[in-house]
Structure formats: C-alpha cells, structure tokens
C-alpha cells in the first residue's frame, strides 16, 4: 500500500522508471515494444519531457502490460497545462503514427541520409521533397520521418492531404490528426500555433501539390513555432520564403553502355525493386543471365520510375521479362495493387492527376505540344 502511495506521489518520469524496472525491461526494450526510441524513453524518465502525449502514455502502458490501476497511476502523473487554452489540449484519442510500410524501401539509402542531414540543420525548417508522380515521395518521406523521430522528442505527425479537395481544409485536417478539439471562435491555425509553439515537433504534409494555396498558412505556423519543422511532399515546390527543396530522382538503372550481366543488373536500385516485386508476384521468378538483358531494358524503358517498375513487375505472374518488355505499355495500364490510391493504380491515372492540377492555359499548351512526337526543342515549340 505504501509503495503504491509513493508511486502516486512521484512525477511521471520516476513512475515510468519504476514500472519499467518492475517489468524487467531496459529502456531499449521498452522503446521497441512501445514503438518509441530509447532516447525518447530516457528523456521521459529523466523529466526532460514532462508532458508526454496521450498516445505515448497508452503505448507505454500497453508495452508494460499495466493493470487498469497502474495505467491510472501513470496517466495521472502527466502534469496539466495550466494557463493553456482548451483548444490546444490533445484529445485522448489522438494518434501520432506514421504509415506502416508493408514493403522495404529499396535503393534509397543515399536519399534518406541526405534528407535526414538536411532536417538536422537549424536553418532548414521547411523542406519540400519534389518530383513527378510515382517517383516514391510518400514512401521516402515516411522512412525519413521514422529515422528522424528521435530528433523530435515532442512527436511526429503525418497528414495525408491527397483526399482533400480544398486548400482551406489543410489546417483543420492537421488539427484533427494532432487530436486537437474544436473550440468555437478559435481557428484551427491558431489552435495549432498554441499547441506547437514550444514543442520540438515534425509535421509531415503529404501530397501538397493540389492544395498549394495553403502554403502561406504553413509559413505562418512556422513563424509562430520556433521549434517546429515541416516536411512536405509535392509535385512542385511551395515557392515560399524559407523553403528548401529536395528533388527526388528516379532509381539508378543498369549501365546502358555495358552488356547486361545478372550480377551487375542486380546491383542497381531499379532492378532490385523490379526483381523484389516480381518475386512477390511470382515465386518462381528469378533474375538470371538469360533474362538479365530484358530486365535491364525494362528498367531503361521505365527510366527507373518506382511506380512504373512496380506496375510492370506485377505482370510477372503471367509474363516473363522478355514477353513483358514487348507489352510494357499494356502492363502499365493493367492496374496495380487494389490498396493503392486510384491515382497510382495505373500510369495514366498518375499522369491524369498531374494534368488536372494545371491551369487551363497550361493544359492548352500541352494539347498544342502533342503535335510533336519523340520530344521537341524550345525553339521548335
């Protein structure tokens, strides 16, 4: 009884440490079970982070397999935010989880390292990953955010913007993802300002290209929250002050000047992705000396574009690399995995998404440029 009373009187950090030690876990083991970093658990136990988010407390309680009473004791140790308007309080149902990838990220080690290094620079607070549809921006930004999580002890939030049809919904959507309650008379942007003002936080805004009018609000939020960083994916830069752009390139393809050999082809990122997905579609698929040239040609034809490689590899269930090479156009329109967004289920859908973002004069220009076959020069246009 006295021990429980002592726990109830202790701050959150010491309570967490006692519960962890009672469970026989190291900080690293608890972090792994709770989906956190060992650095974050250490910061909580030392009292450097005094107000963990509700979802963090729940994750820790589940990882420690606490009883209802022990959960209550731990939760009650989180200090209140005296003087903070109600609009900034996170609801108990808030979630700060990144999308859980179902497949490994292949061939992007260099990009992940470069983007992570940029995020660590104090001068880079708004970083935009740009590139065409299907280049793999969302998958890359998810991996980067996961890697950078330990540098943002107050949390990482992933906001998917693709479903939105109006730029005015960007801030309300971000507010909902952070679990902020709506309060009459308080704009979602103001609620976000209040909530993030003193937090070392990473906000990920995915698929920003069709809600670009909200860019000034993002800048406004950054101006009010000195420890906030924003990581954006978009088919075009935001074109605002303070933005740092990182252009995401296609995956490296086999050297077209060399005779394709299986070992060399297998060492290129584009071929690694194609082979991995082809093996998933057809367990009997294997990269061999006999089909290495066809695999290399597929990578060249698709210019190392990840989405195109995945769509093509899905046809390996029915076609070998040589047959697939002669039917690439049809393969790219056959449709990909059913759980992909509609804009990514075929290459035409991906191009349509980009085309629909254009203004009418731009669409008219592309219609006129269709008279050229195989490209054109500026002078010819």
């Amino acid at each position: 009884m006295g021990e429980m009373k002592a726990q109830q009187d202790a701050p959150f950090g010491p309570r967490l440490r006692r519960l962890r030690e009672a469970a026989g876990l190291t900080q690293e083991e608890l972090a792994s079970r709770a989906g956190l970093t060992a650095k974050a658990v250490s910061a909580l136990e030392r009292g450097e982070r005094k107000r963990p988010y509700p979802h963090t407390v729940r994750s820790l309680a589940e990882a420690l397999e606490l009883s209802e009473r022990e959960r209550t004791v731990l939760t009650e140790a989180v200090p209140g935010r005296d003087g903070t308007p109600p609009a900034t309080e996170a609801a108990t149902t808030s979630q700060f989880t990144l999308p859980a990838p179902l497949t490994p990220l292949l061939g992007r080690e260099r990009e992940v390292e470069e983007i992570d290094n940029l995020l660590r620079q104090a001068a880079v607070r708004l970083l935009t990953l740009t590139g065409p549809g299907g280049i793999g921006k969302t998958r890359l930004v998810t991996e980067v955010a996961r890697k950078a999580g330990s540098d943002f002890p107050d949390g990482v939030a992933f906001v998917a913007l693709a479903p939105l049809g109006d730029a005015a919904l960007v801030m309300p959507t971000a507010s909902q993802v952070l679990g902020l309650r709506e309060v009459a008379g308080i704009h979602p942007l103001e609620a976000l300002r209040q909530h993030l003002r003193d937090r070392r936080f990473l906000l990920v805004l995915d698929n920003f290209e069709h809600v670009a009018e909200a860019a000034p609000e993002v800048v406004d939020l950054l101006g009010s929250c000195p420890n906030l960083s924003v990581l954006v994916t978009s088919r075009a830069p935001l074109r605002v002050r303070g933005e740092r752009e990182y252009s995401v390139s296609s995956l490296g393809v086999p050297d077209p000047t060399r005779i394709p050999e299986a070992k060399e082809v297998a060492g290129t990122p584009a071929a690694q992705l194609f082979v991995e997905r082809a093996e998933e579609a057809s367990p009997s698929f294997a990269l061999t000396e006999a089909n290495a040239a066809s695999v290399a040609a597929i990578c060249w034809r698709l210019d190392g574009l990840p989405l195109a490689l995945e769509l093509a590899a899905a046809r390996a269930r029915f076609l070998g690399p040589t047959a697939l090479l002669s039917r690439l156009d049809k393969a790219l329109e056959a449709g990909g995995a059913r759980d992909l967004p509609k804009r990514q289920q075929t290459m035409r859908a991906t191009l349509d998404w980009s085309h629909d973002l254009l203004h009418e004069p731009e669409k008219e220009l592309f219609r006129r440029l269709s008279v050229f076959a195989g490209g054109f020069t500026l002078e010819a246009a």
Side-chain angles (χ1 to χ4, degrees):
M1 188 73 174
E3 183 178 350
M4 178 61 74
K5 180 67 168 64
Q7 287 187 20
Q8 290 175 341
D9 293 338
F12 182 87
R15 289 193 202 187
L16 176 61
R17 185 179 65 254
R18 290 173 189 169
L19 290 167
R20 174 179 60 77
E21 291 173 346
L25 298 174
T26 65
Q27 290 182 344
E28 290 77 11
E29 290 169 338
L30 176 58
S32 177
R33 289 189 180 189
L36 303 171
T37 64
K39 182 177 179 180
V41 173
S42 176
L44 286 169
E45 291 190 356
R46 294 198 308 272
E48 293 179 5
R49 287 186 61 195
K50 293 182 170 56
R51 293 195 297 267
Y53 292 114
H55 87 281
T56 300
V57 179
R58 285 199 306 275
S59 297
L60 289 167
E62 291 171 2
L64 291 165
E65 299 180 351
L66 300 183
S67 65
E68 286 301 321
R69 187 176 184 186
E70 289 172 327
R71 283 177 182 245
T72 301
V73 169
L74 184 63
T75 302
E76 289 179 348
V78 180
R81 297 174 172 86
D82 296 338
T84 304
T88 68
E89 289 290 346
T92 57
T93 58
S94 63
Q95 293 292 326
F96 294 86
T97 55
L98 293 166
L102 299 178
T103 55
L105 181 64
L106 300 174
R108 293 295 194 187
E109 294 80 7
R110 176 182 59 82
E111 289 88 343
V112 170
E113 190 67 27
E114 290 176 350
I115 298 169
D116 183 58
N117 288 336
L118 284 172
L119 276 179
R120 293 173 184 270
Q121 298 179 20
V124 180
R125 298 183 53 220
L126 173 58
L127 180 59
T128 304
L129 274 56
T130 61
I135 202 74
K137 299 183 295 296
T138 298
R139 182 66 182 85
L140 181 56
V141 80
T142 302
E143 193 70 22
V144 169
R146 193 176 306 281
K147 179 179 175 64
S150 60
D151 294 322
F152 298 91
D154 292 316
V156 178
F158 183 94
V159 184
L161 302 177
L164 304 186
D166 188 346
L169 298 176
V170 171
M171 291 300 145
T173 301
S175 182
Q176 290 175 5
V177 170
L178 267 67
L180 304 185
R181 299 188 181 95
E182 291 186 18
V183 176
I186 297 183
H187 190 277
L189 176 58
E190 179 57 31
L192 286 167
R193 284 198 202 102
Q194 295 175 5
H195 184 70
L196 298 172
R197 194 181 307 278
D198 299 319
R199 288 178 166 83
R200 177 71 176 134
F201 199 90
L202 177 62
L203 184 63
V204 181
L205 302 176
D206 187 45
N207 284 294
F208 202 88
E209 60 269 0
H210 68 299
V211 288
E213 293 83 357
E217 291 186 309
V218 175
V219 175
D220 191 336
L221 185 62
L222 283 165
S224 303
C225 307
N227 297 315
L228 172 68
S229 293
V230 177
L231 187 56
V232 178
T233 70
S234 177
R235 299 194 183 185
L238 276 59
R239 295 190 176 89
V240 294
R241 289 177 299 169
E243 179 185 30
R244 178 71 175 266
E245 181 183 0
Y246 183 93
S247 180
V248 181
S249 58
S250 298
L251 294 174
V253 299
D255 187 348
T257 66
R258 297 172 63 90
I259 297 176
E261 295 182 358
K263 184 177 181 180
E264 291 187 3
V265 172
T268 62
Q272 288 173 7
L273 178 61
F274 177 83
V275 171
E276 174 97 5
R277 299 297 182 263
E279 290 175 344
E280 292 173 1
S282 174
S284 63
F285 178 90
L287 177 64
T288 65
E289 293 297 344
N291 63 24
S294 294
V295 171
I298 290 171
C299 295
W300 297 331
R301 283 274 305 275
L302 300 181
D303 199 28
L305 190 69
L307 177 59
L309 289 166
E310 295 200 14
L311 291 173
R315 303 299 107 191
R317 179 178 302 175
F318 313 106
L319 301 170
T322 303
L324 178 58
L325 180 60
S326 65
R327 296 173 173 82
L328 268 185
D329 290 342
K330 291 183 179 180
L332 298 182
E333 292 307 313
R338 292 176 179 175
D339 59 326
L340 285 172
K342 286 186 177 180
R343 69 181 188 281
Q344 293 182 344
Q345 291 193 0
T346 67
M347 284 307 301
R348 178 175 291 278
T350 296
L351 294 173
D352 285 346
W353 172 271
S354 293
H355 181 266
D356 290 343
L357 296 174
L358 300 175
H359 298 296
E360 190 53 42
E362 294 168 325
K363 292 179 181 178
E364 182 180 1
L365 173 60
F366 271 103
R367 286 196 295 271
R368 293 181 176 183
L369 290 174
S370 66
V371 300
F372 294 104
F376 54 87
T377 64
L378 181 62
E379 290 77 13

